[in-house]
Amino acid sequence: DAGVIQSPRHEVTEMGQEVTLRCKPISGHNSLFWYRQTMMRGLELLIYFNNNVPIDDSGMPEDRFSAKMPNASFSTLKIQPSEPRDSAVYFCASRFRGSGTDTQYFGPGTRLTVL
Amino acid sequence: AQTVTQSQPEMSVQEAETVTLSCTYDTSESDYYLFWYKQPPSRQMILVIRQEAYKQQNATENRFSVNFQKAAKSFSLKISDSQLGDAAMYFCAYRRRTDKLIFGTGTRLQVFP
């Protein structure tokens, strides 16, 4: 089975540009999570969705960040405008909510560099 | 608020030896889950092992096992017969019945031949 798919794997952009990160969760999973990993702050949850509905976006740093999940098989995280401090690895994870341990499975991450 | 603490920023072990990574957490909940994730240089987050708090029996997955001490809020990971491929960052994580995973700061494990 395919795992969580993220694209692009690497993104280099200039300050002020719009960045869109994409995620395809594991088929059948009904919860999706966006995380950010930096050296300074470690792994932080940005937002998560249950059944395509945003449940908790308290981790979204600023209004420049937005996330959508238009259907069960696709989600985007958008940064507009991007800033150098947004440079990080962004992970998407999914799980099937309602099973026993509800384990989250992570994608390979997108390394974002904002110059 | 729940917190997860990994007090060992770095650990090292000789190949074929055993190493234990420490994790403590703080919570007032009684029903929760604990996880160890491995992050190799590829940056992929890989689930190593999980433990349900209501289970007294320690989880085991091949060479990986945990020592879960609920009263002490301790959840250590033991890696037996260490292999070069075990070298990675290891993150301890906590989740109560709601959906947030809370991660520790990680322990970097080096494995020497």
Side-chain angles (χ1 to χ4, degrees):
Chain A
D1 287 340
V4 176
I5 299 172
Q6 289 187 247
S7 64
R9 294 291 307 275
H10 303 273
E11 177 79 26
V12 180
T13 190
E14 292 187 345
M15 183 174 62
Q17 296 298 305
E18 176 179 297
V19 175
T20 299
L21 310 182
R22 298 173 175 79
C23 175
K24 177 179 170 54
I26 293 172
S27 177
H29 283 190
N30 53 11
S31 291
L32 183 139
F33 304 78
W34 282 101
Y35 291 88
R36 178 172 68 176
Q37 185 178 32
T38 61
M39 288 293 293
M40 291 297 293
R41 300 175 67 90
L43 270 159
E44 304 174 276
L45 176 68
L46 300 177
I47 185 171
Y48 75 90
F49 298 82
N50 284 341
N51 297 314
N52 313 337
V53 176
I55 301 300
D56 185 347
D57 65 354
S58 60
M60 296 284 264
E62 301 171 31
D63 291 345
R64 299 183 296 106
F65 285 70
S66 63
K68 294 182 179 180
M69 192 164 187
N71 56 62
S73 59
F74 184 66
S75 177
T76 59
L77 177 67
K78 185 177 294 187
I79 308 172
Q80 166 63 20
S82 58
E83 297 182 3
R85 59 194 168 116
D86 301 330
S87 297
V89 180
Y90 291 81
F91 287 100
C92 176
S94 73
R95 70 179 176 103
F96 179 71
R97 186 169 182 262
S99 61
T101 50
D102 297 4
T103 299
Q104 292 183 24
Y105 296 90
F106 284 74
T110 295
R111 178 176 286 279
L112 173 65
T113 303
V114 183
L115 303 175
Chain B
Q2 291 82 15
T3 58
V4 178
T5 302
Q6 293 179 250
S7 59
Q8 306 154 315
E10 290 192 8
M11 291 283 285
S12 59
V13 64
Q14 203 87 29
E15 202 175 4
E17 297 295 311
T18 296
V19 64
T20 299
L21 309 184
S22 301
C23 174
T24 59
Y25 57 95
D26 186 25
T27 184
S28 58
E29 304 284 333
S30 59
D31 188 11
Y32 52 87
Y33 305 105
L34 296 163
F35 305 84
W36 278 98
Y37 280 90
K38 169 185 178 181
Q39 187 177 42
S42 67
R43 297 195 313 272
Q44 177 87 45
M45 293 288 286
I46 303 166
L47 177 67
V48 174
I49 199 166
R50 61 193 175 210
Q51 174 83 40
E52 295 92 330
Y54 65 86
K55 289 187 177 179
Q56 292 187 342
Q57 186 173 6
N58 289 325
T60 299
E61 289 287 345
N62 301 314
R63 298 183 295 106
F64 298 87
S65 61
V66 299
N67 183 6
F68 174 48
Q69 301 289 328
K70 191 172 184 179
K73 297 178 183 176
S74 170
F75 183 61
S76 60
L77 174 69
K78 185 171 83 171
I79 306 174
S80 304
D81 186 24
S82 298
Q83 300 175 359
L84 295 177
D86 295 334
M89 281 289 287
Y90 286 82
F91 291 94
C92 177
Y94 161 98
R95 185 179 68 76
R96 57 179 188 177
R97 278 212 162 266
T98 56
D99 298 340
K100 287 184 178 181
L101 260 181
I102 299 170
F103 287 91
T105 51
T107 296
R108 181 173 301 281
L109 178 66
Q110 293 182 306
V111 182
F112 294 102

